[in-house]
Structure formats: structure tokens, C-alpha cells
Amino acid sequence: IPLTPLHHNDHFSKIVFDVENRNRIFLLGMNRLVVAENNRLTDKASWLPYPENDYYENLVQDRKGRLWLATRRALYQCVDFRLTPFNSANGYTNSSTMAVFQDRENNIWFGTNGLGVMRYADQPFLNYDRFDAANNAIILYMMEGEDHRLYLGTDGSGLFVLDGDKITPLQLPSAKPSEQRIVYLSKGLHHEIYIVTAGSRVWKYADNRVTELVLPHLIHCISGILPDAGGGYYFTGCEGCYYYSPDGKTTRILDAYC
């Protein structure tokens, strides 16, 4: 991908590989969307309303190839680069959308900044279900477990589990405020769930129990985790990318902000 035309201060928070065109990827920046295709970069900033006064939170592509762009101002559905805004005029909240997720039944879920979660049932008309139990929670991450339940990570309110129409909190062993901010969720290879909190602590949820992964002090400021088949873990953070082996050895793979 020829990144040389980009400004040296460009920062991209997410890369999305096009499910319909393997030669196209989307790069999401703070207030721009760049498309890389056929050895060319196309900046789509002018394609969006108010690009200079907005902040792009998330970009997700569903199984039908539709892009969902979540910003602090609005939520957009994009088909062939034609935008459809989701707002109060068609039943959606005006609150900014932080998380977008598609479950195995192809429902689209939206996590908002203070109004809980909403579900788009993909009918000929727009149909939303709001779950009041998660109201006033800022939803940062959503993930579906192998148990078909939806896990909701919030900014300061902890972790919730949505089972049908019922939302219940999943308590972590620590009551510290920093452990109530969920910065990452990941599924393991054996149906377990990994939870990263703002205090750079990693928790494993398995068999209805939450336990902490004890990590060396070298690994801190953790932003993501990926378990491997051999029992080790890859971690990303503000000081690079690390591999933590099953025998307890830590190797820095990349010395850069990840």
C-alpha cells in the first residue's frame, strides 16, 4: 500500500478489509476515510458532512458489504459510497455512536454514548429495540460469545451481558474505577473471553468465573490481546507489541505505539 502521499502526522485507528473486493482496504482516521485500491489512495473526507468538525469513532463492514461509519455527530450507512444518515428522523438516537457490531443472525447492534444499545433488525423499515438496562452507559465494545450472548464493554460502568432481552452486569474482582472502563474484548480459542481494562489488567472469563492473568510489569498500557494456539499471548499497547510465551518469557516484537 503506497502510504507516501499521506501526511506524516496521519493517524489511523482502524483498518477494514473489503469483504467484496480483496484488493481494497479502508483506513479510518480521526476525521477522514482513506480508500486504498489498485496502488492508489483516495481520501473520502469531502464525501462526508462536516469532516473538519467531526470525529470518526468506528468503521465496520457487514456481511452484505455495507459500511457503517460511526461519528460523534451521526451514524451513516454507506452502499457504493452513497450515504444514508441514521438519526431521529428515522428512529435512531442523536447520541454519538461508539460501537457497531453484527451478530450471527445478521442483526446490527449500535453502542451509543449514554443511551445504551440499539438493534437494527434489517427490515424494509427501520426497526430499533432499546435496552433500558444499559441506559446512561457509554458502550465502547460489543462482542458475541460462543454462548450466543452479547458482551458489552462500557466506559466506566463495567461489563454487561445481554441474553435475550435481559441485561446483567458481569462483575470483575476489582472495584477500582479504572477496572470499570473496558478498553478491549476478545474471544479465546476455547470459548473463553478476555477483558482488558483501563488499568492495563487482563481478565479471563471462563466457566462462569473471572480470573486475572498475571503479567510481567514490562507489559503495561495494554490496548489489545490475542491468544495463540500454543498457550501464549500477543499484546498491543502504547509501548509496542509483545509476545508472552507459555513459559513466562516476554519478547518485544514491535517498538512502536500499537
Side-chain angles (χ1 to χ4, degrees):
I1 303 170
L3 297 180
T4 49
L6 301 177
H7 192 273
H8 71 280
N9 287 327
D10 283 326
H11 170 74
F12 295 102
S13 60
K14 193 166 187 179
I15 299 176
V16 175
F17 293 86
D18 194 338
V19 299
E20 296 186 323
N21 183 347
R22 66 179 185 177
N23 295 316
R24 178 193 294 162
I25 65 172
F26 305 97
L27 306 172
L28 184 68
M30 293 181 61
N31 58 2
R32 65 191 300 198
L33 176 63
V34 175
V35 181
E37 183 180 15
N38 298 327
N39 294 321
R40 295 181 58 190
L41 292 174
T42 305
D43 194 333
K44 292 292 184 179
S46 59
W47 159 68
L48 299 168
Y50 316 111
E52 69 281 358
N53 297 319
D54 207 347
Y55 182 86
Y56 301 165
E57 299 283 1
N58 206 346
L59 181 70
V60 171
Q61 189 176 38
D62 65 26
R63 297 183 187 98
K64 292 184 177 181
R66 301 171 300 186
L67 287 172
W68 297 88
L69 176 67
T71 80
R72 287 187 177 177
R73 286 177 176 263
L75 173 71
Y76 299 97
Q77 180 194 96
C78 173
V79 178
D80 295 329
F81 294 105
R82 295 191 300 270
L83 290 177
T84 299
F86 278 38
N87 50 41
S88 58
N90 50 32
Y92 192 64
T93 173
N94 277 328
S95 177
S96 62
T97 304
M98 309 293 290
V100 182
F101 173 77
Q102 185 176 29
D103 65 21
R104 67 187 69 200
E105 296 179 352
N106 294 323
N107 296 307
I108 309 294
W109 296 84
F110 307 113
T112 68
N113 185 356
L115 288 177
V117 294
M118 303 185 79
R119 181 179 65 191
Y120 176 42
D122 205 16
Q123 300 294 328
F125 55 90
L126 297 179
N127 179 27
Y128 300 96
D129 294 325
R130 183 181 299 175
F131 295 89
D132 292 332
N135 275 1
N136 300 319
I138 300 175
I139 310 296
L140 296 179
Y141 284 93
M142 293 186 288
M143 187 191 70
E144 187 175 20
E146 294 299 325
D147 53 9
H148 294 202
R149 298 191 297 176
L150 195 65
Y151 293 80
L152 312 172
T154 71
D155 185 2
S157 299
L159 183 65
F160 291 87
V161 179
L162 173 61
D163 189 358
D165 288 351
K166 183 180 179 181
I167 286 185
T168 56
L170 179 59
Q171 300 291 345
L172 299 182
S174 174
K176 291 182 178 180
S178 61
E179 310 310 324
Q180 303 309 306
R181 185 174 191 270
I182 311 300
V183 300
Y184 193 76
L185 293 172
S186 175
K187 284 192 290 188
L189 301 176
H190 306 287
H191 307 325
E192 74 274 25
I193 291 174
Y194 294 95
I195 306 151
V196 181
T197 58
S200 286
R201 297 171 75 176
V202 180
W203 310 86
K204 183 171 81 169
Y205 177 60
D207 300 324
N208 294 318
R209 293 179 62 245
V210 179
T211 55
E212 184 176 6
L213 291 184
V214 180
L215 302 172
H217 294 295
L218 176 64
I219 304 177
H220 55 89
C221 190
I222 298 172
S223 60
I225 176 175
L226 178 66
D228 71 0
Y233 299 93
Y234 293 92
F235 293 95
T236 58
C238 59
E239 294 187 353
C241 178
Y242 296 87
Y243 178 69
Y244 183 56
S245 67
D247 59 2
K249 295 181 180 179
T250 303
T251 303
R252 177 178 284 180
I253 301 172
L254 181 64
D255 185 11
Y257 185 94
C258 298

